């Protein structure tokens, strides 16, 4: 009976604003991560999307286009062109992919509309799967690097090192750079200037549709106060963060970031891991011990999709949590959501911004 219910209510996956059915399949032994090996499993998705594609009728048949960054073309071609050839044979279509290094549209042509739609669906599944394996390039964020907060953060660091430096794993290397203090709303994979521009446009629509109403057209006045840890054991802490809340006690900041997250998830630009943003400003991170540029749990994959294991040495945070439980880092006026670029800083030492929307 369970198998029947799986067929009646299949899992849905969303990308490019469309929903797809993922049909249940029997488990298979893991294979090597190669394009031609991956292809067969990816085709377990239904060939027909739940929403209609734009397919143009031409004098010679039918035509559809797919916009994709050139970095992902190789996954549609496959090794020795095998993936592309297989899709073309099985869907009776012809697929034209721009040359490596050239941006453009993938063009699918065929004599039958169903074949063109099927090829388009298969290409979308491949693009989505390999996009998910790309390391994150950008993130939506609030900057928290106002002068008062930076100064209070440095006081926090000095006091922690003065009172808790004998605790296991506590040293100066695991503290965040005060110029990089921020709140993360969601992580992004943006692989072209066109995708960055698209993200700017989505943010602008968010501003027009709900940000203005929630913010009242004014900066959100918040306080950064109190500390908390990410994992379950205060004696084995990897990430310690400062809490951020509205000065007026309202839930407006949380509502705003949750709605922004929901919008980007619905567009397929942010993976749907959570339905709500955990507001936090990282102040101590054990990954920084060996890599001053580390950025937390978001360093998961290399460009070719291989998982990265980040070795880290935790610290005993019990005394820090007890002594600095209510530490006050300062007040801020949050007036902009930025598209921040990872591993890149501006002239002020903060993450470089590729675009933003202001509340006032």
């Amino acid at each position: 009976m369970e198998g029947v219910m799986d067929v009646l209510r299949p899992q849905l996956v969303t990308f490019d604003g469309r929903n797809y059915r993922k049909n249940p399949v029997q488990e298979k032994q893991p294979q090597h991560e190669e394009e031609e090996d991956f292809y067969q499993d990816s085709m377990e998705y239904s060939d027909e999307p739940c929403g209609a594609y734009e397919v143009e009728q031409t004098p010679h048949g039918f035509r559809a286009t797919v916009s994709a960054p050139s970095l992902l073309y190789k996954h549609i071609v496959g090794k020795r062109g095998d993936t592309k050839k297989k899709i073309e044979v099985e869907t009776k279509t012809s697929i034209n992919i721009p040359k490596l290094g050239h941006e453009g549209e993938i063009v699918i042509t065929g004599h039958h509309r169903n074949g063109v739609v099927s090829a388009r669906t298969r290409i979308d599944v491949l693009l989505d799967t390999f996009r998910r394996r790309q390391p994150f390039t950008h993130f939506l964020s609030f900057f928290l690097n106002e002068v008062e907060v930076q100064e209070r953060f440095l006081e926090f660091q000095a006091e922690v090192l003065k009172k808790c430096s004998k605790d296991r794993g506590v040293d100066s290397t695991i503290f965040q750079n005060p110029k990089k203090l921020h709140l993360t709303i969601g992580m992004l994979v943006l692989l072209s200037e066109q995708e960055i521009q698209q993200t700017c446009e989505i943010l602008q629509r968010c501003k027009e549709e709900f940000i203005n109403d929630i913010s009242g057209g004014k900066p959100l006045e918040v306080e950064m106060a109190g500390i908390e840890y990410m994992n379950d054991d205060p004696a084995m802490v990897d990430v310690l963060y400062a809490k951020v809340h509205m000065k007026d006690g309202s839930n407006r900041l949380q509502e705003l970031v949750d709605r922004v997250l929901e919008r980007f998830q619905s567009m397929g630009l942010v993976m749907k891991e959570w339905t709500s943003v955990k507001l936090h400003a990282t102040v101590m991170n054990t990954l920084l011990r060996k890599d001053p540029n580390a950025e937390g749990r978001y360093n998961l994959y290399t460009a070719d999709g291989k998982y990265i294991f980040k070795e880290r040495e935790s610290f005993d945070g019990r005394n820090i949590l007890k002594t600095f439980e209510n530490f006050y880092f300062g007040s801020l006026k949050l007036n902009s959501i930025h598209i921040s670029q990872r591993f890149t800083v501006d002239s002020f030492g903060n993450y470089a911004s590729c675009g933003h929307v202001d509340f006032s």
Side-chain angles (χ1 to χ4, degrees):
M1 188 65 182
E2 182 179 351
V4 174
M5 297 308 292
D6 287 344
V7 172
L8 293 176
R9 290 199 296 265
Q11 178 185 348
L12 295 179
V13 292
T14 302
F15 52 85
D16 196 24
R18 295 184 176 90
N19 294 321
Y20 297 81
R21 295 180 295 274
K22 184 177 181 182
N23 295 328
V25 296
Q26 292 182 342
E27 287 198 16
K28 301 177 181 179
Q29 292 299 316
Q31 298 172 310
H32 296 294
E33 254 182 347
E34 297 179 354
E35 283 83 350
E36 60 259 53
D37 289 333
F38 170 78
Y39 175 83
Q40 188 61 46
D41 285 342
S42 74
M43 293 309 103
E44 300 296 347
Y45 287 87
S46 169
D47 282 353
E48 289 292 337
C50 298
Y53 282 129
E54 291 185 12
V55 178
E56 174 191 355
Q57 188 164 8
T58 70
H60 305 289
F62 296 87
R63 179 181 185 272
T65 59
V66 185
S67 295
S70 59
L71 285 173
L72 297 181
Y73 290 163
K74 63 182 180 182
H75 300 301
I76 308 304
V77 175
K79 290 190 176 180
R80 299 180 298 277
D82 290 348
T83 300
K84 175 176 173 288
K85 290 174 187 174
K86 189 172 179 65
I87 298 174
E88 289 176 324
V89 169
E90 293 184 355
T91 62
K92 296 181 173 61
T93 59
S94 176
I95 301 170
N96 183 36
I97 300 174
K99 292 181 180 180
L100 189 64
H102 292 77
E103 297 290 342
E105 290 184 323
I106 298 171
V107 179
I108 307 163
T109 55
H111 294 297
H112 304 285
R113 185 183 187 281
N114 286 346
V116 172
V117 170
S118 179
R120 166 70 195 263
T121 304
R122 297 178 187 212
I123 289 173
D124 273 350
V125 171
L126 287 168
L127 289 171
D128 178 69
T129 301
F130 284 102
R131 175 181 289 278
R132 289 172 184 268
R133 297 185 183 186
Q134 301 299 311
F136 293 114
T137 59
H138 299 75
F139 56 98
L140 299 173
S141 70
F142 289 103
F143 293 166
L144 301 177
N145 58 349
E146 290 189 14
V147 174
E148 177 193 355
V149 172
Q150 288 192 49
E151 291 175 350
R152 289 291 292 161
F153 171 82
L154 291 173
E155 290 176 25
F156 169 77
Q157 177 176 342
E159 287 296 307
V160 169
L161 292 175
K162 179 180 178 181
K163 298 177 180 178
C164 306
S165 61
K166 293 184 179 180
D167 294 345
R168 182 188 58 80
V170 176
D171 63 52
S172 61
T173 64
I174 63 175
F175 286 86
Q176 175 66 284
N177 181 336
K179 295 179 180 180
K180 290 185 175 182
L181 289 168
H182 66 277
L183 284 180
T184 299
I185 299 174
M187 303 300 297
L188 301 166
V189 174
L190 305 177
L191 302 178
S192 67
E193 289 299 322
Q194 182 181 359
E195 292 188 348
I196 292 173
Q197 182 59 38
Q198 179 191 10
T199 304
C200 291
E201 292 169 359
I202 295 172
L203 265 185
Q204 184 61 38
R205 289 201 295 272
C206 289
K207 172 181 168 64
E208 295 166 359
E209 293 175 19
F210 60 82
I211 289 177
N212 284 341
D213 290 339
I214 296 173
S215 68
K218 300 177 181 178
L220 298 179
E221 296 190 21
V222 304
E223 289 181 321
M224 186 168 156
I227 57 172
E228 190 55 85
Y229 60 105
M230 282 291 189
N231 56 307
D232 298 326
D233 187 352
M236 300 280 289
V237 175
D238 280 318
V239 175
L240 190 79
Y241 64 90
K243 294 181 282 188
V244 178
H245 60 270
M246 289 290 297
K247 268 187 174 182
D248 61 11
S250 72
N251 199 43
R252 287 188 296 147
L253 175 60
Q254 187 70 58
E255 180 186 357
L256 189 151
V257 296
D258 284 348
R259 291 192 64 177
V260 170
L261 177 71
E262 181 183 16
R263 175 60 58 87
F264 276 82
Q265 287 175 335
S266 70
M267 300 292 293
L269 292 172
V270 172
M271 285 189 288
K272 196 161 188 176
E273 298 180 78
W274 304 275
T275 57
S276 181
V277 177
K278 186 177 182 66
L279 294 172
H280 69 280
T282 298
V283 293
M284 297 174 72
N285 184 346
T286 58
L287 285 179
L288 296 169
R289 197 188 305 278
K290 293 184 178 180
D291 180 3
N293 296 312
E295 295 175 4
R297 63 179 190 81
Y298 303 116
N299 266 349
L300 295 180
Y301 293 99
T302 62
D304 59 357
K306 291 191 171 73
Y307 183 79
I308 301 172
F309 174 73
K310 284 281 188 177
E311 185 180 353
R312 59 202 301 170
E313 176 195 346
S314 67
F315 66 91
D316 186 343
R318 289 174 293 183
N319 285 332
I320 298 174
L321 288 161
K322 181 179 179 180
T323 307
F324 301 95
E325 179 182 7
N326 298 310
F327 189 89
Y328 184 74
F329 290 90
S331 61
L332 307 101
K333 291 184 178 181
L334 304 183
N335 193 42
S336 305
I337 295 177
H338 291 266
I339 304 167
S340 299
Q341 185 173 351
R342 295 184 70 203
F343 308 118
T344 307
V345 296
D346 60 20
S347 58
F348 300 102
N350 192 16
Y351 286 107
S353 176
C354 300
H356 67 277
V357 292
D358 295 327
F359 301 169
S360 62

